[in-house]
């Protein structure tokens, strides 16, 4: 049977999560011979290669391929390698930590009308507790995102027309928005298919993960340089003035302390403390109030404004664009 749709999954050193994703795909209601699964390792990864080989050994009837990029370049490059090797006219993307619902592929195929240039985006379900952590809450925002690679589908012709993913996005951040903006700029329709569902469980995150996450901000500058109007419309309407004010007050505190201007130092310290406290409370409101999480939010709120501005400025310098 002809391959109607190809599923591309980028991965790197997460074999246990990947196998769960493959099991979910193996249980699709769409006839197994009608789709193929292409797993792309973002660089050499022997453990993942062994895990998927064992998985496929017991499912020889499944159309399955495992390929690897020569070096680690990020999920954008891995996805490009996957869709370019695909046989299907439709290319569905999901991530190795996702669990597609059984009707996912059948739903996508059903909504495709045969147009050469066409894209779809489904619904990403993120189960979180009533009082989530900050990390869980941030992950849950995938549920309202317009276009994410955890659950999207495009024709191969559409991907070819826009050149696929921009491989300069070296991390899992903004590369999906970049593809969406390419489609919009080229007049390629993107249709929301709400009943094409992928479940995205929240992984266990290490303490202080939000500090490491700030590095992704450098790619905001690249996306803004390419699509300034769409960036302001869909990503960030206004600069993060709170961060700039917080950092400015801290610098004023340090300078006036050095110069001996005690009154100004006290005012700057109070202002900085209010900014940090307000930021920490905003992150804690309606969320987990355990001692561990409260401590994490207070500690990371001290440093996030500095790290966020640093990485955004680094990106602005790297990509030669003014972004506040």
């Amino acid at each position: 049977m002809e391959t109607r749709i190809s599923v591309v999954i980028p991965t790197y050193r997460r074999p246990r999560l990947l196998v769960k994703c493959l099991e979910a795909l193996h249980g699709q209601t769409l006839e197994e011979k009608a789709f193929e699964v292409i797993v792309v390792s973002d660089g050499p990864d022997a453990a993942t290669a062994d895990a998927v080989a064992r998985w496929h050994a017991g499912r020889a009837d499944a159309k399955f391929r495992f390929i690897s990029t020569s070096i680690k370049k990020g999920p954008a490059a891995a996805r490009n390698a996957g869709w370019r090797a695909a046989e299907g006219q439709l290319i569905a993307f999901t991530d190795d930590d996702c669990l597609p619902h059984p009707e996912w592929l059948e739903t996508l195929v059903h909504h495709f009308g045969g147009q050469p240039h066409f894209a779809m985006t489904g619904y990403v379900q993120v189960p979180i507790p009533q009082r989530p952590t900050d990390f869980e809450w941030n992950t849950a925002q995938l549920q309202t995102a317009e276009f994410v690679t955890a659950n999207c589908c495009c024709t191969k012709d559409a991907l070819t027309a826009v050149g696929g993913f921009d491989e300069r996005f070296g991390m899992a951040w903004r590369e999906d928005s970049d593809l969406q903006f390419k489609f919009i700029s080229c007049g390629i329709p993107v249709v929301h298919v709400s009943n094409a569902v992928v479940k995205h469980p929240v992984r266990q995150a290490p303490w202080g993960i939000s500090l490491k996450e700030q590095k992704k901000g450098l790619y905001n500058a690249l996306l803004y340089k390419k699509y300034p109007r769409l960036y302001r419309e869909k990503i960030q309407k206004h600069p993060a003035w709170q961060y700039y004010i917080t950092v400015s007050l801290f610098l004023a505190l340090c300078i006036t302390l050095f110069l001996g201007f005690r009154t100004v130092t006290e005012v700057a310290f109070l202002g900085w403390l209010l900014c940090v406290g307000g930021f920490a409370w905003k992150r804690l409101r309606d969320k987990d109030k355990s001692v561990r999480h409260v401590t994490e939010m207070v500690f990371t709120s001290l440093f996030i404004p500095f790290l966020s501005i640093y990485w955004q400025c680094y990106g602005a310098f790297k990509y030669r664009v003014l972004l506040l």
Side-chain angles (χ1 to χ4, degrees), residues 204-222:
Q204 186 69 35
W207 196 90
I209 183 64
S210 55
L211 298 179
K212 184 179 180 181
E213 293 280 285
Q214 299 310 307
K215 185 177 181 180
K216 295 178 178 179
L218 73 94
Y219 295 112
N220 290 343
L222 176 56

Side-chain angles (χ1 to χ4, degrees), residues 8-12 40-42 69 72-83 93-95 149 165-167 169-173 175-176 219:
V8 174
I9 310 170
T11 190
Y12 188 67
V40 188
S41 177
D42 179 23
T69 58
K72 184 169 173 53
K73 295 178 65 178
R79 291 190 188 99
N80 280 341
W83 73 260
F93 294 101
T94 192
D95 295 332
T149 44
F165 292 89
D166 187 336
E167 297 183 9
F169 291 89
M171 300 174 68
W173 187 252
E175 82 286 1
D176 42 11
Y219 295 112

Side-chain angles (χ1 to χ4, degrees), residues 38-115:
I38 302 173
V39 171
V40 188
S41 177
D42 179 23
D45 183 355
T48 298
D50 290 343
V52 296
R54 289 193 300 271
W55 178 86
H56 189 229
R59 299 161 184 82
D61 54 335
K63 290 184 179 180
F64 175 82
R65 279 182 284 167
F66 176 81
I67 61 179
S68 175
T69 58
S70 58
I71 59 173
K72 184 169 173 53
K73 295 178 65 178
R79 291 190 188 99
N80 280 341
W83 73 260
R84 286 170 180 151
E87 296 177 356
Q89 182 184 11
L90 281 174
I91 314 293
F93 294 101
T94 192
D95 295 332
D96 59 4
D97 55 353
C98 291
L99 302 171
H101 281 209
E103 301 85 8
W104 181 55
L105 290 178
E106 188 173 9
T107 302
L108 293 173
V109 170
H110 174 75
H111 277 80
F112 177 54
Q115 308 93 317

Side-chain angles (χ1 to χ4, degrees), residues 135-155:
F135 180 77
E136 290 169 337
W137 184 87
N138 286 331
T139 303
Q141 301 317 296
L142 291 171
Q143 296 183 132
T144 56
E146 285 189 5
F147 187 92
V148 290
T149 44
N151 185 359
C152 70
C153 182
C154 329
T155 61

Side-chain angles (χ1 to χ4, degrees), residues 75-273:
R79 291 190 188 99
N80 280 341
W83 73 260
R84 286 170 180 151
E87 296 177 356
Q89 182 184 11
L90 281 174
I91 314 293
F93 294 101
T94 192
D95 295 332
D96 59 4
D97 55 353
C98 291
L99 302 171
H101 281 209
E103 301 85 8
W104 181 55
L105 290 178
E106 188 173 9
T107 302
L108 293 173
V109 170
H110 174 75
H111 277 80
F112 177 54
Q115 308 93 317
H117 295 159
F118 188 70
M120 293 173 278
T121 177
Y123 174 66
V124 179
Q125 181 186 56
V126 185
I128 58 173
Q130 187 175 2
R131 292 278 184 173
T133 64
D134 181 66
F135 180 77
E136 290 169 337
W137 184 87
N138 286 331
T139 303
Q141 301 317 296
L142 291 171
Q143 296 183 132
T144 56
E146 285 189 5
F147 187 92
V148 290
T149 44
N151 185 359
C152 70
C153 182
C154 329
T155 61
K156 195 169 186 179
D157 287 341
L159 289 165
T160 301
V162 301
F165 292 89
D166 187 336
E167 297 183 9
R168 288 178 294 176
F169 291 89
M171 300 174 68
W173 187 252
R174 301 304 187 209
E175 82 286 1
D176 42 11
S177 295
D178 178 73
L179 183 64
Q180 177 195 11
F181 292 175
K182 284 181 178 181
F183 288 152
I184 292 173
S185 300
C186 293
I188 295 173
V190 180
V191 177
H192 181 66
V193 183
S194 59
N195 56 338
V197 181
V198 164
K199 184 178 179 181
H200 191 306
V202 181
R203 304 188 310 275
Q204 186 69 35
W207 196 90
I209 183 64
S210 55
L211 298 179
K212 184 179 180 181
E213 293 280 285
Q214 299 310 307
K215 185 177 181 180
K216 295 178 178 179
L218 73 94
Y219 295 112
N220 290 343
L222 176 56
L223 185 63
Y224 178 77
K225 180 177 183 178
K226 296 180 69 176
Y227 305 100
R229 179 183 61 82
L230 286 170
Y231 182 90
R232 287 302 182 200
E233 286 180 3
K234 296 182 178 293
I235 304 296
Q236 186 182 42
K237 291 184 178 180
H238 308 288
W241 293 122
Q242 182 183 358
Y243 287 177
Y244 289 101
I245 292 171
T246 302
V247 172
S248 296
L249 285 169
F250 184 81
L251 292 176
L253 163 65
C254 294
I255 293 170
T256 56
L257 181 64
F258 176 77
L259 295 176
F261 299 153
R262 182 174 178 179
T263 302
V264 180
T265 300
E266 291 175 351
V267 171
F269 174 73
L270 179 61
W272 173 76
L273 201 61

Side-chain angles (χ1 to χ4, degrees), residues 290-307:
S290 66
V291 174
R292 184 178 188 274
H293 188 243
V294 170
T295 304
E296 179 185 11
M297 292 301 97
V298 172
F299 178 82
T300 55
S301 294
L302 292 169
F303 298 99
I304 283 176
F306 297 90
L307 290 171

